[in-house]
């Protein structure tokens, strides 16, 4: 049984994959201080609660927070008696190698999104991931990651606005009733919501023009469905794209000679 772990800057997702479906998916805050023992107690408690009685013997990890990887490696070794695959490390092969500038290190989350999106939709894609940063990943016809765009994340922008302007409150991300706000909160919500709708549309249009061929736009991340309400931004929305990509990369390594 495979334990797939997607560690982002804000949250970490643990999922159990039986080869055909996910038996469970759990989310916790990302904290580099958390030990392997704490991870194990938390995970096994949730498995017991869900009555999931399986033996985990394989682990794959994607992490944008390098300091977390050590304890996740210890978790795999100490409690599941296996050496985990870590996306981005030399011993973890990708279905198709990225084509970027020499010496460039591509974020593991972007490599995983690329693998998952290509497996489901083929090539010529733009994957828009609403995370701590808002990333745009360009997937070539053969499934290679060939570059992209990184913009500030939605919640990061809101938090910066709140912290840098003393008179502005912290607000939730939501679709406003009107573009023209008639109070401070409504003005901020409109600026963030419609601003990011414009950002996503504008960047995707420019990527399409530069790439010069028809492309499919895939939205993922927790806020993708919200921003899809503002305009026709995406051809598809994939809630589990990153976790699916981990299973694709794991299967590729398992089948490799």
């Amino acid at each position: 049984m495979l334990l797939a772990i997607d560690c982002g800057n804000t949250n970490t997702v643990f999922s159990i994959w039986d080869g055909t479906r996910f038996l469970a998916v759990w989310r916790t805050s990302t904290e580099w201080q958390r030990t392997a023992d704490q991870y194990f107690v938390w995970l096994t408690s949730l498995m017991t609660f869900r009555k999931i009685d399986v033996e985990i013997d394989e682990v794959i990890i994607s992490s944008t927070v390098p300091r977390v990887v050590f304890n996740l490696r210890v978790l795999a070794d100490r409690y599941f008696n296996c050496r985990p695959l870590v996306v981005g490390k030399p011993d973890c092969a990708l279905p198709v190698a990225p084509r970027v500038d020499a010496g460039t290190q591509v974020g593991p989350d972007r490599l995983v999104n690329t693998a998952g999106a290509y497996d489901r939709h083929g090539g010529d894609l733009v994957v828009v991931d609403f995370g701590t940063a808002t990333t745009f990943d360009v997937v070539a016809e053969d499934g290679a990651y060939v570059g992209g765009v990184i913009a500030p994340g939605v919640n990061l922008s809101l938090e910066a606005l709140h912290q840098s302007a003393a008179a502005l409150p912290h607000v939730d991300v939501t679709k406003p009733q009107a573009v023209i706000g008639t109070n401070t909160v409504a003005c901020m919500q409109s600026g963030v919501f419609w601003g990011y709708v414009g950002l996503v549309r504008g960047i995707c249009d420019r990527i399409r023009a530069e790439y010069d061929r028809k492309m499919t736009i895939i939205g993922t991340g927790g806020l993708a469905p919200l921003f899809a309400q503002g305009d026709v931004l995406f051809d598809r929305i994939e809630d589990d794209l990153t976790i699916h990509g981990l299973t694709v990369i794991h299967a590729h390594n398992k089948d490799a000679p």
Side-chain angles (χ1 to χ4, degrees):
M1 200 71 63
L2 174 67
L3 175 63
I5 305 173
D6 169 34
C7 177
N9 290 292
T10 305
N11 293 312
T12 300
V13 177
F14 288 72
S15 58
I16 298 176
W17 173 254
D18 71 355
T20 58
R21 66 188 180 95
F22 291 110
L23 301 181
V25 178
W26 296 293
R27 186 181 301 268
T28 185
S29 59
T30 299
E31 298 177 6
W32 67 266
Q33 304 95 329
R34 191 170 294 174
T35 67
D37 301 329
Q38 289 174 310
Y39 279 122
F40 181 73
V41 170
W42 173 81
L43 183 62
T44 53
S45 296
L46 289 171
M47 291 175 64
T48 300
F49 179 77
R50 288 282 299 273
K51 296 181 173 60
I52 297 174
D53 184 16
V54 297
E55 181 179 348
I56 294 171
D57 54 9
E58 296 176 292
V59 177
I60 184 168
I61 301 166
S62 168
S63 178
T64 58
V65 185
R67 297 176 76 180
V68 173
V69 174
F70 174 78
N71 282 319
L72 292 176
R73 283 184 178 274
V74 174
L75 171 71
D77 177 63
R78 180 179 298 167
Y79 290 106
F80 305 127
N81 195 31
C82 68
R83 178 187 176 91
L85 278 172
V86 180
V87 178
K89 299 299 182 182
D91 61 343
C92 181
L94 299 172
V96 184
R99 294 195 291 273
V100 293
D101 293 344
T104 300
Q105 288 191 334
V106 182
D109 54 331
R110 309 183 80 178
L111 298 173
V112 172
N113 281 346
T114 295
Y118 182 73
D119 182 68
R120 285 180 170 172
H121 303 287
D124 295 332
L125 309 173
V126 180
V127 180
V128 185
D129 188 352
F130 292 87
T132 304
T134 301
T135 58
F136 299 74
D137 302 325
V138 180
V139 184
E141 183 180 13
D142 63 349
Y145 170 87
V146 293
V149 176
I150 301 175
V154 179
N155 287 309
L156 191 64
S157 295
L158 272 175
E159 189 62 29
L161 192 62
H162 168 59
Q163 291 185 358
S164 300
L168 296 181
H170 178 79
V171 299
D172 294 327
V173 184
T174 187
K175 181 183 178 182
Q177 294 182 347
V179 176
I180 302 172
T182 54
N183 57 68
T184 301
V185 170
C187 288
M188 293 175 66
Q189 289 175 332
S190 182
V192 169
F193 183 84
W194 292 112
Y196 270 86
V197 168
L199 180 146
V200 171
R201 175 167 291 282
I203 290 178
C204 287
D205 284 348
R206 287 180 178 273
I207 288 174
R208 280 171 161 157
E210 189 171 294
Y211 197 72
D212 197 27
R213 64 194 304 169
K214 185 177 179 181
M215 304 185 78
T216 301
I217 310 298
I218 310 296
T220 190
L223 292 176
L226 172 66
F227 284 96
Q229 297 176 23
D231 211 338
V232 183
L233 295 176
F234 312 116
D235 297 299
R236 299 282 190 277
I237 293 179
E238 301 278 1
D239 293 335
D240 63 344
L241 184 65
T242 306
I243 289 294
H244 174 67
L246 282 172
T247 68
V248 172
I249 293 174
H250 175 265
H252 175 74
N253 281 267
K254 194 171 182 178
D255 294 341

